Amino acid sequence: MRHTPIFAALLGLGLLAQAPVSLAKNLVFCSEGSPGGFDTAQYTSATDNDAAEPIYNRLVEFERGATAVKPALAKSWEVSADGLTYTFHLREGVKFHSNKDFTPSREMNADDVLFTFNRMLDREHPFRKAYPTEFPYFVGMSLDKNIARVEKTAPMTVVFTLNSVDAAFVQNLAMSFAAILSAEYAHQLMTSGRPSDINQKPIGTGPFVFQRYQKDSQIRYRGNKDYWDPAQVKLDQLIFSINIDPSVRIQKLRKNECQITLHPRPADLDALKNDPQLQVIEKPGFNLGYIAYNVRHKPFDQLEVRQAMDMAVNKPAIVKAVYQQAGQLAVGSMPPTQWSYDESIKDAGYNPDKARELLKAAGVKEGTEITLWAMPVQRPYNPNAKLMAEMLQADWGKVGLKVKIVSYEWGEYLKRTKDGEHDISLIGWTGDNGDPDNWLGTLYSCDAIGSNNYSMWCDPQYDALVKKAKTITDREQRSVLYQQAQQRLKQQVPITPIAHSTVNQPLSAKVEDFKVSPFGRNVFSGVSLD
């Protein structure tokens, strides 16, 4: 910056110390948690996916703020008449990032796509053996079973062959787990004996380049000057400021210490909406907060016990206290805005007397101890898990159960619940791709046990319906099967749906062109500051 004599004198006297002088277009995002890493295929939580989103691209991507799929690293694709073969033509001239240990010698090509997917497909893949990990989304959606092979037919052409028709296949490839990695970088990491760096020192093709990460503090990225779509890079620096406490995030937003935050407390919304320095974008939530009963733990292996737990929950009181004016009572296993939602499904209703009778008939003694796991973070589908857990503790106490509330750091919480350590857990979901299978298959199927099926529930009748629906392309036929599956799930009570929340996105009035994703993603490509 060039200083005039008067400016320099004032600066020297400290008279301009409080003046906001911007030297670059830097945006600070107040996030709510520390990611476990940046290898998106390993993770399912929004915290992890948000942190990796700026770094990567996929073959196809969702339009910002919408559910439609558009070309990305694949500039076009064709599907065979039988629906089993997908041919993707890759975009030319796409450059991978570099860091102090790696400089790419070539542009992105078909070898990178093969590496990305074969690592997930093949348990004997050299990199997977060097860096063993699991791929919960990939497995939870049965892609490990349904993708027969991935082949390179030309330097910039990749062909996926499926074993059976998957009506949601292209939408699935737009999800975070399908981020395209550098085969060349992976080879270098294996050669140097540092394969885990793919998770902690990420290399992608995205609009922002990873710089550094300090857990529980911040993540720093810089704008990618070599990005293949330069119009989408309007920031010099992107900084994630990690703050678990929602009140701290709001304070920082109001002081302009960050320009975007997420998951405000319902009690803060009126003040935020009345602040002239801020804007609050409000959208119907494509989400569900629910209670998951671990059917592998006694006494929750008994249907009567799960029915009793469900009837003992005073859902209207919880929605009023926890969600306040930003929640809608949930009845089904996915949001009403999802096509194929069955509107005929009804709740059993709040009936603690009947619940006590069912527990007694099932042999559950008065004073039986159970654990209820409560999330340590705010999510769009649950703004206050601690309060919800305390209300459930009181509800279930009224029917004779002694409830102990348990919590862990978010990453540990997810890991332990996926391993089935809990009796009951508070959890939820924000849709990823607009397809019913992303709810009914991803959350409740047999294949999803160990990934997103926190109930550990595997019902052959339900599973057959969901799997058959996925192989049909006609929407009406799929809807019939999905509605039958919803009825079965409601009868068997592996979960108690609680609420769908309205998404309120607070940000500085200076932020331009930020789009609220229906899938709960925070995407910073195309975003600028006035």
Side-chain angles (χ1 to χ4, degrees), residues 15 39 79 96-97 108 124 136 148 179 253 259 345 354 361 375 385 402 407 409 418 428 447 476 508 529:
L15 298 180
D39 178 12
V79 185
F96 277 101
H97 305 159
M108 184 272 302
E124 299 302 312
L253 179 68
Q259 289 74 51
I345 289 177
K354 178 67 173 177
M375 301 176 302
K402 188 174 181 181
S407 192
E409 181 272 330
K418 287 175 182 179
D447 287 341
E476 289 187 10
S508 166
L529 287 171

Side-chain angles (χ1 to χ4, degrees), residues 108-301:
M108 184 272 302
N109 65 29
D111 291 332
D112 303 303
V113 180
L114 263 61
F115 166 75
T116 298
F117 287 93
N118 283 332
R119 178 177 73 126
M120 293 187 280
L121 276 171
D122 183 7
R123 289 190 173 274
E124 299 302 312
H125 190 279
F127 192 88
R128 184 163 174 178
K129 294 185 76 173
Y131 178 47
T133 189
E134 298 301 321
F135 306 105
Y137 260 128
F138 194 73
V139 172
M141 294 187 293
S142 302
L143 291 172
D144 59 326
K145 298 182 177 69
N146 198 33
I147 298 177
R149 57 189 176 275
V150 186
E151 301 169 290
K152 176 176 74 172
T153 58
M156 301 298 286
T157 305
V158 176
V159 178
F160 288 76
T161 303
L162 307 185
N163 289 315
S164 60
V165 173
D166 181 350
F169 185 66
V170 172
Q171 286 94 326
N172 290 341
L173 295 187
M175 292 166 58
S176 295
F177 78 90
I180 301 302
L181 306 177
S182 166
E184 186 181 16
Y185 182 49
H187 178 73
Q188 178 178 304
L189 292 178
M190 273 211 308
T191 302
S192 62
R194 296 181 291 108
S196 63
D197 278 2
I198 204 165
N199 190 32
Q200 299 301 328
K201 297 179 180 179
I203 292 290
T205 61
F208 295 92
V209 179
F210 174 82
Q211 291 183 292
R212 62 182 180 272
Y213 168 39
Q214 183 179 353
K215 188 176 181 180
D216 299 328
S217 177
Q218 66 173 230
I219 314 168
R220 299 186 73 94
Y221 316 80
R222 61 174 171 81
N224 181 4
K225 296 179 180 178
D226 296 320
Y227 191 49
W228 54 271
D229 188 1
Q232 298 303 311
V233 184
K234 298 180 179 179
L235 300 170
D236 297 319
Q237 296 280 335
L238 173 63
I239 300 143
F240 278 34
S241 176
I242 300 167
N243 305 274
I244 296 174
D245 188 334
S247 63
V248 172
R249 295 197 299 269
I250 293 302
Q251 288 171 13
K252 288 192 170 188
L253 179 68
R254 301 187 84 161
K255 292 178 180 179
N256 198 35
E257 293 177 14
C258 62
Q259 289 74 51
I260 302 178
T261 188
L262 73 177
H263 312 327
R265 297 176 303 184
D268 292 331
L269 286 173
D270 285 343
L272 291 172
K273 290 176 180 178
N274 291 324
D275 190 328
Q277 303 301 316
L278 303 177
Q279 53 181 315
V280 179
I281 303 172
E282 183 178 306
K283 285 200 169 184
F286 192 53
N287 58 46
L288 170 67
Y290 62 94
I291 303 164
Y293 306 108
N294 185 348
V295 302
R296 291 181 176 177
H297 281 200
K298 292 182 179 300
F300 310 108
D301 56 336

Side-chain angles (χ1 to χ4, degrees), residues 24 51 65 90 95 113 136 139 153 290 357 404 408 413 479 488:
L90 304 183
K95 297 179 180 180
V113 180
V139 172
T153 58
Y290 62 94
E357 291 175 12
K404 178 183 177 183
Y408 293 92
Y413 183 94
S479 290
R488 177 66 179 174

Side-chain angles (χ1 to χ4, degrees), residues 262-523:
L262 73 177
H263 312 327
R265 297 176 303 184
D268 292 331
L269 286 173
D270 285 343
L272 291 172
K273 290 176 180 178
N274 291 324
D275 190 328
Q277 303 301 316
L278 303 177
Q279 53 181 315
V280 179
I281 303 172
E282 183 178 306
K283 285 200 169 184
F286 192 53
N287 58 46
L288 170 67
Y290 62 94
I291 303 164
Y293 306 108
N294 185 348
V295 302
R296 291 181 176 177
H297 281 200
K298 292 182 179 300
F300 310 108
D301 56 336
Q302 298 181 67
L303 174 59
E304 293 79 8
V305 173
R306 300 196 299 273
Q307 290 172 329
M309 303 298 288
D310 181 78
M311 289 182 190
V313 176
N314 189 343
K315 287 168 62 170
I318 289 175
V319 173
K320 183 177 180 180
V322 174
Y323 296 84
Q324 298 181 31
Q325 303 304 313
Q328 172 190 351
L329 191 144
V331 175
S333 47
M334 56 185 186
T337 50
Q338 172 65 67
W339 65 265
S340 81
Y341 179 81
D342 189 343
E343 296 182 357
S344 71
I345 289 177
K346 306 297 180 186
D347 268 341
Y350 178 53
N351 192 338
D353 293 334
K354 178 67 173 177
R356 186 181 283 274
E357 291 175 12
L358 286 171
L359 289 173
K360 184 177 180 180
V364 179
K365 296 180 179 178
E366 184 95 11
T368 295
E369 294 186 3
I370 60 174
T371 60
L372 169 61
W373 291 34
M375 301 176 302
V377 297
Q378 280 186 295
R379 307 304 313 147
Y381 49 74
N382 191 334
N384 193 336
K386 182 176 182 292
L387 175 58
M388 185 183 292
E390 290 168 350
M391 295 183 75
L392 289 170
Q393 185 181 48
D395 283 346
W396 289 329
K398 292 173 184 175
V399 296
L401 299 173
K402 188 174 181 181
V403 181
K404 178 183 177 183
I405 298 173
V406 175
S407 192
Y408 293 92
E409 181 272 330
W410 184 223
E412 190 70 12
Y413 183 94
L414 290 173
K415 179 180 181 299
R416 288 173 177 262
T417 49
K418 287 175 182 179
D419 289 342
E421 294 184 20
H422 59 291
D423 286 339
I424 305 171
S425 69
L426 297 182
I427 199 66
W429 193 251
T430 297
D432 285 311
N433 62 18
D435 192 272
D437 183 72
N438 186 241
W439 298 90
L440 302 179
T442 299
L443 300 184
Y444 318 116
S445 69
C446 298
D447 287 341
I449 292 174
S451 55
N452 298 304
N453 184 342
Y454 298 96
S455 299
M456 308 291 156
W457 179 69
C458 179
D459 183 84
Q461 181 178 330
Y462 172 88
D463 230 46
L465 291 166
V466 171
K467 286 183 175 177
K468 184 177 180 182
K470 197 175 178 182
T471 65
I472 298 171
T473 56
D474 182 86
R475 180 175 286 199
E476 289 187 10
Q477 293 179 40
R478 292 184 77 198
S479 290
V480 170
L481 293 169
Y482 283 136
Q483 288 172 0
Q484 292 174 15
Q486 290 170 69
Q487 292 281 354
R488 177 66 179 174
L489 189 145
K490 192 69 176 178
Q491 292 164 7
Q492 294 298 305
V493 203
I495 68 165
T496 292
I498 297 293
H500 313 288
S501 73
T502 301
V503 173
N504 288 278
Q505 176 69 64
L507 60 163
S508 166
K510 296 179 180 180
V511 175
E512 297 183 340
D513 207 25
F514 181 87
K515 306 289 187 183
V516 175
S517 165
F519 307 130
R521 294 181 176 186
N522 287 287
V523 179

Side-chain angles (χ1 to χ4, degrees), residues 60-71 77 170-171 174 432-434 517-519 521:
V60 295
E61 294 179 354
F62 295 109
E63 293 179 1
R64 289 196 303 126
T67 60
V69 172
K70 66 176 184 177
W77 62 91
V170 172
Q171 286 94 326
D432 285 311
N433 62 18
S517 165
F519 307 130
R521 294 181 176 186

